[in-house]
Amino acid sequence: LTFSDIETDENGNDILPGYNLGIEFFTPYDEDGAIAEGTYTIDAAKAENKEAFSIVPGEMQTLLYYLFPYETFLEYLEPAENPDEEPLGRYGFCCEGTMTVTKADSGYEIHCDFYTDEGMHVTCSYTGNVAVSGVPGPISTLDGDYTLDLSNATDARAIDFGDIYYAGGDMWMIEIYPGDGVTGDGFMTTIVGNSTDFTAGIPSGTYKACASNYYMNVGEYLYGYLSSSLNGTFYLSGFQEDGSVTEYAPAISGDLNIENHGDGTYTFSFEFLDDRGYTWDGEWTGTIVTENNGSES
């Protein structure tokens, strides 16, 4: 949710200086995109668990070697000395406070009362419509709980992309497919391990779902989501000759357990919840071919 007091001129150019307030929060799902009435509170622990009515505190994060402000933050923009340069930005990251949402005849009444990590008091009041885009619908094709058949899954590969999040561990993208390309089920996931040593292989551990698809911490897997292609952690089945799948389910929450046996073989066991409320689980042991695509070791 973004609020701005920056006006534009007749050519659509921003009239600076001005402020933008970005808020990342969790609201109960509504297929029409409605924001639930209530009081939302900045709470890192509840937001990490994706609890409704929680707000994610703001922070500066690194993505692909660039710094970006994320989650809940105030941005102050002022013109650069050179008109051809990008505006100058200053940021305050909101770490405590609340947002209240009530329905109104004209849409919503929204009031924000935040404090930044430097003690700045940030307030915002808005009455009007809120345009909500990208409302997610369930994408899982499951119609009940399911245990994966990975008995034919012998085509396993993993790519180490290095510590691209500066989290202290490398990101691994792992894919496990049927050996003949079509028979049985498959599995894919993206994790951040607790090591930057490619030669040691995929780190053992119990991995939890990340809170955001923009950033991952050590010990997390990327939850499943659809964005032109399947991303993150998915059950895969119904393989076609061209490699596409017709059956799939995202992992929204649950545990992924990885055991590195030290000889190129691994055991994966997992139990996930999809976006329709069904559980999918399974276990697999086998050899994974690894590739270094960014790790420095």
Side-chain angles (χ1 to χ4, degrees), residues 21 173 225:
L21 175 62
M173 185 177 292
Y225 69 96

Side-chain angles (χ1 to χ4, degrees), residues 26-42:
F26 293 95
T27 188
Y29 175 74
D30 183 277
E31 63 182 10
D32 296 322
I35 302 172
E37 292 185 282
T39 298
Y40 296 75
T41 303
I42 296 179

